[in-house]
Amino acid sequence: DEEPAETETPEPGELQPTPTQVPVSGEPAFTAASKLTTVGLDEIFFGDPVEDAAEKASTTWIGLPPAGSAPQCYTVQPSGGPAGVVFTVVDGRIERVDITTATITTRSGAGVGSTETQLDELFGSQLEVAPAAGGNQITFVPQSEQDKVFRIIWVTDGTTVTEMRAGRLAQVQPRTPCSG
């Protein structure tokens, strides 16, 4: 008779091997845990080359221009979603993100569905409010010198945020991406 093989049990305090996490294809690149800041969304930063940004988010882009063409400005979406997240690419670099899903918020929790009152309570004097079609455009102006060229902008229906966007000043100010 053969004895059963002994299984090795790690000693207390000994490191146990952990399986390698492999991203599952089809998983959304951004989730409710994703956070928008003045400088980017999660690990994607404004100014990142579009290829590097896809790698950082473990996604591929929908909307890339055909190989060999080189448009100055275009928009892309992460494959697998979520819907309502669109990046603007200028000269091959991510420069802006538009968000219409309530899933993604700022680190402070502001996003689509927030009220103008909530934005004021969160950010107060750092906000600039201007009338916009059917509501207001509320712009967060960072105080730090290193972030002075970035903005987060919320568009409201007069009371509630319907969309938000963030990016560098020149690209984030126009309501429509690639409009000048």
Side-chain angles (χ1 to χ4, degrees):
D1 288 330
E2 199 171 320
E3 286 186 347
E6 280 188 50
T7 55
E8 290 186 31
T9 12
E11 293 295 318
E14 192 176 26
L15 291 178
Q16 296 185 26
T18 55
T20 304
Q21 296 293 321
V22 177
V24 178
S25 65
E27 289 292 315
F30 304 99
T31 65
S34 297
K35 298 300 173 202
L36 179 69
T37 67
T38 52
V39 297
L41 177 60
D42 285 351
E43 61 280 329
I44 295 179
F45 299 107
F46 303 121
D48 281 348
V50 68
E51 304 84 14
D52 293 355
E55 190 175 314
K56 286 179 174 184
S58 301
T59 193
T60 56
W61 297 123
I62 297 170
L64 285 173
S69 68
Q72 182 186 0
C73 186
Y74 59 94
T75 60
V76 293
Q77 296 173 295
S79 63
V85 177
V86 178
F87 289 90
T88 300
V89 180
V90 178
D91 294 328
R93 296 186 176 276
I94 300 287
E95 292 295 346
R96 165 182 171 156
V97 64
D98 288 68
I99 298 174
T100 56
T101 177
T103 304
I104 297 170
T105 65
T106 66
R107 287 190 295 213
S108 303
V112 173
S114 295
T115 64
E116 289 187 4
T117 303
Q118 288 170 321
L119 293 178
D120 188 54
E121 288 169 357
L122 286 169
F123 306 110
S125 65
Q126 285 188 268
L127 297 178
E128 293 176 352
V129 180
N136 291 308
Q137 177 172 292
I138 302 174
T139 304
F140 174 80
V141 180
Q143 293 177 325
S144 79
E145 188 64 27
Q146 66 190 32
D147 291 346
K148 70 179 183 178
V149 298
F150 301 99
R151 296 290 185 273
I152 297 176
I153 298 173
W154 295 272
V155 178
T156 75
D157 60 10
T159 57
T160 306
V161 174
T162 57
E163 62 187 84
M164 67 179 175
R165 62 188 186 265
R168 293 185 205 255
L169 272 171
Q171 288 78 29
V172 78
Q173 286 180 319
R175 179 89 184 249
T176 308
C178 301
S179 65

